[in-house]
Amino acid sequence: MIENLLPPQVAAVETTCDRMDVVLFPEEEAQIAGAVDKRRREFTTARWCARRAMGQLGLPAVPVLPGTRGAPRWQPSVVGSITHCAGYRAAALARTSDVAAIGIDAEPNQPLPEGVLESIGLPRERAWVRELQRTTPQVAWDRLLFSMKESVYKAWYPLRKRPLEFEDALITVDPRQGTFQARLLLGPAERRDGDPLGFEGRWSAVNGVVLSAIAVPALVPAAPAAEWTRAGAPHRELVGSAR
């Protein structure tokens, strides 16, 4: 599922079964010493996914440890993202020569608890969520909005090492094309030169899971817009020249 949302330069591995036969690196084992079974399964299987993705890129397996705010710390030549929810784990990695940042997020295709949409969604977002819940109820659009905002955060944080709040990104969705756009709403005092103005990504709702994914292309020489822009990557007018 996840590989269909990402460009071919990204190595994506997913599983719906926990892989407890994985031998963790000592540094990884230290991170979950004394963890409850649920946390151990999530952590271990996500590392299994990450190692397989490293192998697809021709890289040796190395420890994947949580860094600031829990973001995975990757080896210098790699960017990536990890996600897990009930019954689903995934990792997506790419070389920094191809991709500047990746954000993926998986959530159960179930409505958010009462009141959560109001705390994460801007008025315009809540409007399209409620309309799509009426017309296309097989997708938990409120949960998908949450997933998209998580993907935005995961793509943003490695680029700028600064947090985003839920209200800092305005999400619009194309329910037919399976795409979404995120416009960052940072004020002048919060924005720095070269900050992206937004991201573009893809989403799906399959097998009881909603998924969202963003892959930010690495800086490349200027090219005609028709060649530079493709599904799953930011449009030039959204992201600008610095990534």
Side-chain angles (χ1 to χ4, degrees), residues 1-3 5-6 10-18 41-53 64 72 74 80-93 102-107 154 209-213:
M1 297 185 291
I2 193 71
E3 69 273 7
L5 306 183
L6 292 161
V10 177
V13 177
E14 62 189 357
T15 181
T16 58
C17 300
D18 281 325
R41 288 179 178 276
E42 292 172 346
F43 185 95
T44 301
T45 306
R47 268 65 193 169
W48 177 84
C49 292
R51 292 184 194 182
R52 289 179 64 88
V64 180
W74 306 103
S81 184
I82 284 174
T83 188
H84 48 73
C85 69
Y88 184 86
R89 328 293 192 201
L93 279 72
I102 299 172
I104 63 172
D105 189 74
E107 302 289 336
K154 291 179 179 181
V209 175
V210 292
L211 289 167
S212 61

Side-chain angles (χ1 to χ4, degrees), residues 54-225:
M54 291 174 195
Q56 290 182 18
L57 294 176
L59 300 171
V62 297
V64 180
L65 305 178
T68 305
R69 294 182 174 266
R73 299 203 311 263
W74 306 103
Q75 50 194 301
S77 63
V78 170
V79 293
S81 184
I82 284 174
T83 188
H84 48 73
C85 69
Y88 184 86
R89 328 293 192 201
L93 279 72
R95 295 181 180 274
T96 53
S97 56
D98 296 321
V99 176
I102 299 172
I104 63 172
D105 189 74
E107 302 289 336
N109 189 12
Q110 300 171 359
L112 290 171
E114 188 71 27
V116 175
L117 176 60
E118 286 69 26
S119 67
I120 69 160
L122 298 168
R124 287 175 58 184
E125 295 168 334
R126 298 199 297 269
W128 65 252
V129 163
R130 287 166 178 149
E131 174 61 19
L132 290 172
Q133 284 175 331
R134 184 183 65 81
T135 60
T136 317
Q138 60 268 34
V139 177
W141 296 100
D142 55 349
R143 185 80 68 164
L144 182 58
L145 173 63
F146 178 86
S147 174
M148 292 170 176
K149 294 213 172 189
E150 287 291 300
S151 288
V152 168
Y153 184 92
K154 291 179 179 181
W156 162 267
Y157 190 79
L159 290 174
R160 292 298 180 260
K161 299 297 189 294
R162 306 201 310 275
L164 285 178
E165 303 300 333
F166 285 116
E167 64 269 21
D168 290 334
L170 174 65
I171 305 291
T172 55
V173 65
D174 187 325
R176 295 184 177 180
Q177 296 299 318
T179 61
F180 68 95
Q181 291 186 346
R183 181 162 62 91
L184 299 183
L185 304 178
L186 301 175
E190 302 165 299
R191 185 176 295 282
R192 299 177 185 172
D193 290 344
D195 278 355
L197 302 179
F199 301 107
E200 194 167 278
R202 301 187 66 84
W203 66 270
S204 70
V206 182
N207 298 332
V209 175
V210 292
L211 289 167
S212 61
I214 294 168
V216 182
L219 184 63
V220 296

